[in-house]
Every structure is written in structure tokens, then in C-alpha cells.
Amino acid sequence: MNTTDGHRKHARNERNERDELDDRDELDEQDELDDPEERDEREGKDEEGGRGERDGRGEPDRVSAAEALRGAVEQLTELLGRAPETVSALTPTETGWTARIEFVEVERVPETTSVLASYEVALGHDGHLLGYERGKRYTRAQIDDKDGG
């Protein structure tokens, strides 16, 4: 083997070693991407998977009442497949927000006989839906009876 062939072989070995190192670095980066906790931390997500910012104590900041209300309406509308009639309550809680949203369940003629349902919605600090439950059903013409429920 002459010197030129030796230099070429040496250069080829160096390139192969660099390529192998690059491949290992890419695999390490991919492993980091596949680690959900690191990915969430990099993307600014909190424990519940939301994008809530963190305050000085490490807890996610609460979205504003308007943002929580919009989020509750949009998310429940998507799940139920119909638009809400009205929002009757929005309350901050330790875990985020609760909202009460009214939907028409059965449309009737005349409208005063249509059946509405009240849904209780739980939202996280970041405004993402945690759960919902249908509460009472009533006709549109029914008057609230605060004492009798």
C-alpha cells in the first residue's frame, strides 16, 4: 500500500468515526424527544398536559375568567355537537374553574316547551376541560325555584 492509499484510508476512517458520533448524538436527541417529562418541560406544559405558565411557587398560572369561559364553551360544544344556550355560572376553584352551561337538549314548538339541560364543567388552571356532567333538565318556561331546586 502506498502513502496516498494510507492517507485516503485514514481520512475515510475519520469520516466514518465522525458519522458514527453524529448518529449517536441524533439518537440521544431523539431519546430526549421521546421522554414525555422532558418534552413537556421543553414545551412549557404542566402536569395536566396544558400550556399553563408557572408562578414563583411552581404552580401553573390561572387563565382569566374570560379565557376559562371561552374554553369551557368551545370544548363542551365540540363534545356535545351543539351550541350552548347560555352560561349561568363560572367559579374559580383550587384545581381551576367550574362552569355551568345550559344547552337545548330537545327543541319543541312552541319554544317554551323545549327541554334544556344544565352541564357542570370542570376546567384546569390552564383552561383545559377536565370533566363534565349533565345536571338537571327543565323546560324553557320553567322558573327557577331556588328553595326547592
Side-chain angles (χ1 to χ4, degrees), residues 119-140:
Y119 285 81
E120 292 288 326
V121 180
L123 302 163
H125 289 285
D126 59 3
H128 283 80
L129 183 74
L130 300 176
Y132 72 94
E133 182 177 355
R134 185 177 73 187
K136 70 176 189 167
R137 292 176 63 170
Y138 56 95
T139 62
R140 186 184 298 275

Side-chain angles (χ1 to χ4, degrees), residues 6-22:
H7 288 295
R8 285 184 189 151
K9 186 175 180 181
H10 181 69
R12 212 176 16 247
N13 286 342
E14 284 183 349
R15 274 196 308 274
N16 289 340
E17 287 176 10
R18 277 196 309 268
D19 289 343
E20 286 176 16
L21 287 173
D22 288 343

Side-chain angles (χ1 to χ4, degrees), residues 8 27 29 39 42 48 53 65 69 78 82 87 89 91-92 98 126 130 133 135-136 138 140 146:
R8 285 184 189 151
L27 288 173
E29 289 173 8
R39 183 175 52 244
R42 227 183 5 265
E48 289 138 8
E53 297 296 321
L69 190 59
E78 183 178 340
R82 52 185 176 260
V87 176
T91 309
T98 61
D126 59 3
L130 300 176
E133 182 177 355
K136 70 176 189 167
Y138 56 95
R140 186 184 298 275
K146 297 280 184 193

Side-chain angles (χ1 to χ4, degrees), residues 3-116:
T3 358
T4 308
D5 288 339
H7 288 295
R8 285 184 189 151
K9 186 175 180 181
H10 181 69
R12 212 176 16 247
N13 286 342
E14 284 183 349
R15 274 196 308 274
N16 289 340
E17 287 176 10
R18 277 196 309 268
D19 289 343
E20 286 176 16
L21 287 173
D22 288 343
D23 289 344
R24 275 186 266 169
D25 288 343
E26 287 176 15
L27 288 173
D28 290 343
E29 289 173 8
Q30 186 61 41
D31 286 345
E32 287 177 17
L33 290 175
D34 291 339
D35 183 1
E37 287 180 17
E38 289 182 22
R39 183 175 52 244
D40 288 350
E41 187 176 309
R42 227 183 5 265
E43 294 174 1
K45 292 184 179 179
D46 60 21
E47 290 89 21
E48 289 138 8
R51 288 198 157 285
E53 297 296 321
R54 304 246 173 214
D55 65 11
R57 298 170 305 196
E59 294 180 16
D61 286 342
R62 182 186 303 272
V63 295
S64 71
E67 290 172 313
L69 190 59
R70 273 192 297 275
V73 167
E74 288 172 6
Q75 293 172 81
L76 197 55
T77 297
E78 183 178 340
L79 289 171
L80 298 178
R82 52 185 176 260
E85 186 71 16
T86 188
V87 176
S88 55
L90 179 68
T91 309
T93 66
E94 288 183 21
T95 58
W97 298 90
T98 61
R100 189 169 43 251
I101 305 173
E102 318 299 320
F103 284 85
V104 174
E105 293 235 316
V106 180
E107 289 192 44
R108 294 187 176 150
V109 176
E111 280 188 11
T112 55
T113 61
S114 291
V115 177
L116 281 78

